[in-house]
Amino acid sequence: MTIFNGKGVYGAVALGRISVFKRREAAVKRLHIEDTEAEKARLAAAKEAATAQLQEIYDKALKEVGEQNAQIFEIHMMMIEDDDYNESIESIIDTQSVNAEYAVAVTADNFAEMFASMEDAYMQARSADVRDISNRIIACLSDEGNDEGGSDEKVIICADDLAPSETVLLDKDRVLAFVTAYGSSNSHTAILARNMNIPAIIGAGDDFLKAVSDGMFAAVDGYTGEIFIEPDDETRTRLEKKQREDEEKKRLLQDLKGKENVTLDGTKINIYANIGGVDHIGAVLANDAGGIGLFRSEFLYLESSDYPTEDQQFAAYKKVLESMAGKKVIIRTLDIGADKQVDYFGLAKEENPALGFRAIRICLTRPEIFKTQLRALYRASAFGNLGIMFPMITSVSELEKIMEMCSKVKGELKAEGIAFSEKVELGIMIETPAAAVISDRLAPMVDFFSVGTNDLTQYTLACDRQNAAVEQFVDTHHEAILRLIEMSAKNAHANGAWIGICGELAADTSLTETFLRMGIDELSVSPTFVLKVRDAVRHTDLSK
Ligand code: PEP
Ligand code: MG
């Protein structure tokens, strides 16, 4: 048995086999091949496997996100059969006597460059697609077509770190736990693990990564941050017991379903849930959340290989609103950039992405993207109780521009005779110190504030949330952060706005009483934390 230690970012226990995450863009080697006919046969088999995978993804997407969103996988299947693409690969194998992986990679580079240089925006976007299908074929050639090990067994995913765009592609039904060598507690992998109710450990270190390989058995304790590779019998029995007790504790919380979020002295609060996609609604309802306090709409963009159209977005938002049947649904506008990168946006590489071109800054600079999303949101508002929230606000003038854009979109929809609700609440995230400090100026302009403590912490403490090296300097309970939240709460209430918290700190039950005393009106947490926070609220007495 070998033991490694990291930092547990979601308390749960899992036992199972390890699958080391393989990055699709793994470097391709150029190898000399004698038998080019055999190499082409290997290529044909890999293409067949890639098409079968795409068919499976297409069928799944069709069920989960509808035909329009699934279409891209159909396009990918067609691209694999494209004559020019295939002639190029085969001719490189024949003329240069090289391996199929290399021929596919070279073809991908040539075609991607050709598409990228075209005038037409649609054709430009195909550049990312040709890379995508080529990476899939290369993965199939290398027998790595399935990132999680090839069978249906659930596995513990081990990686150096995982980007949001990588986690969205994982088959979530097959993940038992996440363990990363690096990473930070507020990274989106950690958030995803909380949403999925599975253990996650970050910062397990380089040696951990060197020690693990596919198929090893491991036990992961997300409470202590320990990973036991090939655990001995005693450890295995102890962790299996802990897992059973843990499940029992979570089962007991189920008794709180249908109960109010009310303190012992009668103060009520809303407890909502955070989601990153339409497929999380089941967890929101199963955990009895009163609404959705944060729908991270950027995941629609991350899951797609081109800008999602107004109709595609409308369908997704409508589905969320209808599923929540009149309960509040707060959808946050696009928060791309920093750690959430999307190829087709063509964003330049930045020295300091967290302080860079992200979120509302992109939307205000590229109004066509923002307008498409706002039109989809307002159209969907006719189907439920919508709130729209804007991320990364730092100034009054940004908010003025946003309000102007909202009025313009509403005016256009009215002129086109398209229905929308007049009751849509508009709010902003308080996730920069600037927004908190000028919250007296911002509050009169909005219906609500929602404190994004993940970013507010990184910007207040000057600690990049993606940088594991500064993790030790992050004190989530730092007085500066709590004062900024309190200041925002006072200013919200003085101006008739309500205030919630939707960052990870909202689920920290050691602060529930503090937040209630500040007058926070809503806490929005991962669906799996709703009942835990309800329990904490019901044990709080503010009269003392
Ligand atoms: C936050 O910053 O606290 C937040 C909720 O947004 P995200 O984690 O998506 O940046
Ligand atoms: Mg944020």
Side-chain angles (χ1 to χ4, degrees):
M1 172 169 82
T2 326
I3 308 173
F4 290 94
N5 286 289
K7 181 171 177 188
V9 289
Y10 184 65
V13 177
L15 293 100
R17 303 228 163 258
I18 283 179
S19 173
V20 181
F21 181 75
K22 291 155 198 96
R23 210 148 262 127
R24 288 196 189 280
E25 325 67 346
V28 168
K29 287 199 187 80
R30 185 183 201 272
L31 303 173
H32 177 77
I33 296 291
E34 284 298 331
D35 188 349
T36 52
E37 286 311 311
E39 200 57 15
K40 284 190 282 186
R42 208 163 72 79
L43 171 70
K47 275 172 40 190
E48 206 174 298
T51 307
Q53 282 177 6
L54 284 165
Q55 184 65 52
E56 211 174 289
I57 300 173
Y58 173 79
D59 293 342
K60 190 165 175 244
L62 194 62
K63 267 193 249 132
E64 289 175 4
V65 291
E67 195 175 343
Q68 264 174 328
N69 289 301
Q71 236 171 26
I72 186 65
F73 303 111
E74 225 175 12
I75 296 177
H76 280 195
M77 283 187 268
M78 277 155 55
M79 286 175 85
I80 288 186
E81 293 311 321
D82 180 77
D83 286 344
D84 292 340
Y85 177 74
N86 284 304
E87 272 164 30
S88 162
I89 300 173
E90 292 191 9
S91 123
I92 292 173
I93 296 176
D94 281 333
T95 56
Q96 301 183 31
S97 297
V98 287
N99 53 326
E101 286 90 337
Y102 178 78
V104 174
V106 172
T107 303
D109 279 347
N110 292 342
F111 277 59
E113 251 171 57
M114 177 187 76
F115 283 130
S117 66
M118 289 182 173
E119 289 280 304
D120 185 272
Y122 176 84
M123 293 313 285
Q124 279 175 6
R126 300 285 76 79
S127 172
D129 292 324
V130 81
R131 285 201 190 280
D132 212 349
I133 59 157
S134 304
N135 284 334
R136 187 175 292 284
I137 297 171
I138 292 169
C140 289
L141 278 164
S142 328
D143 240 345
E144 292 169 0
N146 198 327
D147 279 336
E148 297 101 50
S151 79
D152 276 343
E153 189 185 349
K154 286 191 165 201
V155 288
I156 297 168
I157 299 283
C158 298
D160 48 358
D161 199 1
L162 289 165
S165 58
E166 289 169 334
T167 49
V168 296
L169 289 176
L170 288 173
D171 180 355
K172 317 286 186 302
D173 297 337
R174 295 191 42 218
V175 186
L176 273 180
F178 289 114
V179 185
T180 61
Y182 318 106
S184 55
S185 5
N186 274 337
S187 67
H188 285 86
T189 308
I191 293 172
L192 182 75
R194 287 177 201 126
N195 270 329
M196 291 169 63
N197 201 10
I198 59 171
I201 295 177
I202 56 158
D206 260 342
D207 290 345
F208 161 76
L209 216 51
K210 283 185 203 137
V212 292
S213 56
D214 284 347
M216 283 178 162
F217 192 82
V220 176
D221 186 341
Y223 289 100
T224 61
E226 288 169 306
I227 310 121
F228 304 89
I229 311 289
E230 305 294 357
D232 57 27
D233 288 348
E234 187 264 317
T235 309
R236 193 170 168 155
T237 313
R238 183 170 61 78
L239 280 156
E240 278 168 351
K241 183 161 169 264
K242 191 165 179 179
Q243 189 179 32
R244 277 196 304 275
E245 286 167 357
D246 192 41
E247 274 158 15
E248 176 61 11
K249 241 189 274 160
K250 283 176 184 156
R251 202 189 55 74
L252 282 177
L253 282 178
Q254 300 297 310
D255 293 344
L256 289 177
K257 280 190 189 168
K259 302 231 165 94
E260 276 191 309
N261 308 310
V262 61
T263 60
L264 292 167
D265 58 300
T267 306
K268 288 186 188 160
I269 186 169
N270 286 322
I271 303 181
Y272 292 171
N274 297 344
I275 60 168
V278 179
D279 48 345
H280 295 159
I281 299 172
V284 175
L285 298 172
N287 288 287
D288 196 29
I292 291 173
L294 167 64
F295 176 18
R296 290 182 162 93
S297 72
E298 55 275 12
F299 282 87
L300 284 176
Y301 295 73
L302 283 167
E303 279 164 0
S304 177
S305 53
D306 201 351
Y307 297 98
T309 63
E310 181 183 318
D311 282 346
Q312 284 168 343
Q313 294 190 54
F314 166 69
Y317 305 149
K318 176 169 174 266
K319 189 164 176 197
V320 179
L321 284 157
E322 285 181 336
S323 311
M324 292 304 289
K327 288 183 178 160
K328 185 82 175 174
V329 174
I330 297 175
I331 301 182
R332 177 176 74 186
T333 59
L334 180 63
D335 186 9
I336 218 86
D339 59 323
K340 293 174 228 156
Q341 288 295 333
V342 182
D343 285 351
Y344 58 85
F345 269 70
L347 299 175
K349 210 163 169 48
E350 296 176 293
E351 280 289 321
N352 287 305
L355 300 179
F357 191 53
R358 60 171 288 199
I360 204 69
R361 298 171 181 180
I362 299 179
C363 288
L364 291 175
T365 316
R366 296 173 66 178
E368 70 289 354
I369 295 175
F370 195 30
K371 199 170 143 199
T372 303
Q373 182 167 37
L374 287 176
R375 279 183 62 96
L377 283 166
Y378 273 105
R379 280 173 59 195
S381 71
F383 298 88
N385 183 0
L386 177 68
I388 306 177
M389 172 156 81
F390 304 99
M392 277 293 289
I393 300 298
T394 56
S395 70
V396 169
S397 71
E398 279 165 350
L399 196 48
E400 282 169 350
K401 286 188 195 117
I402 292 168
M403 293 302 172
E404 216 173 280
M405 184 67 113
C406 289
S407 304
K408 195 167 153 197
V409 164
K410 285 202 285 181
E412 281 181 17
L413 290 176
K414 210 172 257 170
E416 291 166 36
I418 297 175
F420 63 90
S421 165
E422 290 288 356
K423 292 196 190 124
V424 176
E425 282 197 321
L426 296 181
I428 56 167
M429 295 205 53
I430 300 287
E431 55 182 346
T432 63
V437 172
I438 59 161
S439 51
D440 58 327
R441 304 273 317 280
L442 299 169
M445 303 172 73
V446 295
D447 298 302
F448 67 91
F449 284 161
S450 187
V451 185
T453 51
N454 309 338
D455 278 316
L456 188 60
T457 304
Q458 83 162 336
Y459 296 127
T460 306
L461 303 184
C463 286
D464 181 349
R465 68 193 264 195
Q466 290 298 113
N467 185 346
V470 293
E471 182 80 21
Q472 55 176 317
F473 303 105
V474 177
D475 170 11
T476 54
H477 292 202
H478 196 294
E479 195 184 342
I481 299 162
L482 297 178
R483 280 201 212 177
L484 289 174
I485 301 175
E486 188 168 29
M487 183 196 285
S488 306
K490 275 202 187 110
N491 288 328
H493 291 150
N495 289 284
W498 61 266
I499 179 164
I501 301 178
C502 66
E504 295 299 296
L505 205 61
D508 184 337
T509 46
S510 68
L511 286 174
T512 306
E513 180 173 340
T514 307
F515 293 149
L516 283 160
R517 287 194 187 279
M518 286 179 187
I520 296 295
D521 303 289
E522 174 243 22
L523 292 169
S524 192
V525 297
S526 293
T528 47
F529 285 154
V530 168
L531 296 174
K532 185 185 97 166
V533 177
R534 177 172 298 165
D535 192 41
V537 169
R538 292 173 66 86
H539 282 93
T540 304
D541 188 353
L542 299 177
S543 66
K544 285 191 210 148

